[in-house]
């Protein structure tokens, strides 16, 4: 009987370490959170990682997603684009919070700056893709710019002359890039959606292309 105890112990330990995928949180502003499945008598283990603060390379495989991060930025990769949309968005639209960075009372604060919505209905198969946005606060300066580029083509203005515009693209998208230029710092300056590889990446520093 005693010879079976090590195997039983290993099974119990493995079960305690299983992730409860219903608790998985991936946020475009660099947050990864999840907790383990509750298995008595082991307590639930909670994990919270600020990906935007990583100074060393990080890689996590969690619930079918590959999460990576380093000093330059972070990315989320899924088995397919539909899984990525469902986890990060609402299924029919993809909301992005653009946040700033400022010191308040000696501590770094992340004020909401803008809300962007990327509509990807039916997994990019049937209707046009649309990008819209609006301000969440007065954080962004009047000269702030946002522009979108699809499949390496020309830039289209999303935020220009202090006004958000609505942009539309055809459904055949391989890559979509969003660039942000602001004299006040923001958490990330570029988003890259690689549809073929089901990956979304956020780069902290990136120059606005000239065209």
């Amino acid at each position: 009987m005693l010879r079976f105890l090590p195997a039983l112990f290993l099974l119990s330990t493995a079960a305690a370490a299983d992730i409860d995928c219903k608790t998985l949180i991936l946020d475009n502003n660099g947050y990864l959170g999840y907790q383990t499945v509750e298995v008595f008598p082991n307590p639930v283990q909670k994990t919270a990682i600020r990906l935007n603060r990583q100074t060393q390379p990080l890689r996590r495989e969690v619930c079918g997603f590959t999460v990576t991060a380093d000093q330059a930025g972070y990315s989320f990769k899924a088995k397919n684009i539909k899984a990525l949309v469902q986890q990060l968005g609402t299924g029919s639209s993809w909301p992005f919070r653009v946040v700033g960075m400022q010191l308040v009372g000696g501590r770094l604060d992340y004020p909401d700056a803008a809300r962007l919505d990327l509509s990807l209905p039916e997994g990019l198969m049937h209707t046009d893709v649309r990008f819209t946005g609006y301000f969440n606060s007065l954080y962004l300066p009047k000269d702030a710019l946002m522009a979108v580029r699809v499949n390496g083509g020309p830039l289209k203005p999303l935020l220009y002359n202090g006004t958000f515009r609505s942009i539309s693209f055809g459904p055949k998208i391989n890559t979509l890039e969003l660039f942000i230029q602001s004299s006040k710092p923001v958490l990330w300056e570029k988003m890259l959606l690689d549809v073929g590889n089901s990956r979304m990446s956020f780069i902290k520093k990136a120059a606005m292309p000239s065209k």
Side-chain angles (χ1 to χ4, degrees), residues 14-30:
D18 287 344
I19 295 172
D20 182 356
C21 292
K22 297 190 298 295
T23 68
L24 178 64
I25 299 174
L26 298 177
D27 185 83
N28 70 281
N29 287 308

Side-chain angles (χ1 to χ4, degrees), residues 51-162:
L51 302 170
N52 62 301
R53 297 178 182 174
Q54 295 301 306
T55 57
Q56 300 294 327
L58 175 144
R59 179 185 176 94
R60 291 285 175 94
E61 304 283 346
V62 51
C63 299
F65 295 88
T66 301
V67 180
T68 56
D70 56 25
Q71 286 184 316
Y74 47 92
S75 69
F76 308 122
K77 178 175 170 56
K79 60 183 178 180
N80 54 54
I81 193 67
K82 184 178 180 179
L84 196 63
V85 173
Q86 288 178 335
Q87 180 62 44
L88 291 172
T90 64
S92 60
S93 68
W94 214 326
F96 295 88
R97 286 172 50 247
V98 176
V99 301
M101 295 186 295
Q102 62 185 9
L103 285 174
V104 177
R107 299 181 61 182
L108 191 59
D109 185 43
Y110 300 97
D112 275 348
R115 158 77 180 246
L116 309 179
D117 284 294
L118 176 59
S119 296
L120 298 172
E122 300 301 325
L124 301 176
M125 290 189 294
H126 297 302
T127 61
D128 285 350
V129 178
R130 293 184 301 166
F131 227 140
T132 58
Y134 58 85
F135 295 104
N136 270 351
S137 69
L138 298 177
Y139 177 82
L140 287 175
K142 293 182 179 180
D143 60 352
L145 300 175
M146 296 187 194
V148 178
R149 180 164 64 187
V150 170
N151 299 336
L155 286 177
K156 289 192 174 184
L158 178 64
L159 172 61
Y160 184 52
N161 283 337

Side-chain angles (χ1 to χ4, degrees), residues 18-21 23-24 33-37 44-47:
D18 287 344
I19 295 172
D20 182 356
C21 292
T23 68
L24 178 64
Y34 56 87
Q35 64 186 44
T36 57
V37 175
V44 169
Q45 300 294 318
K46 297 182 179 180
T47 298

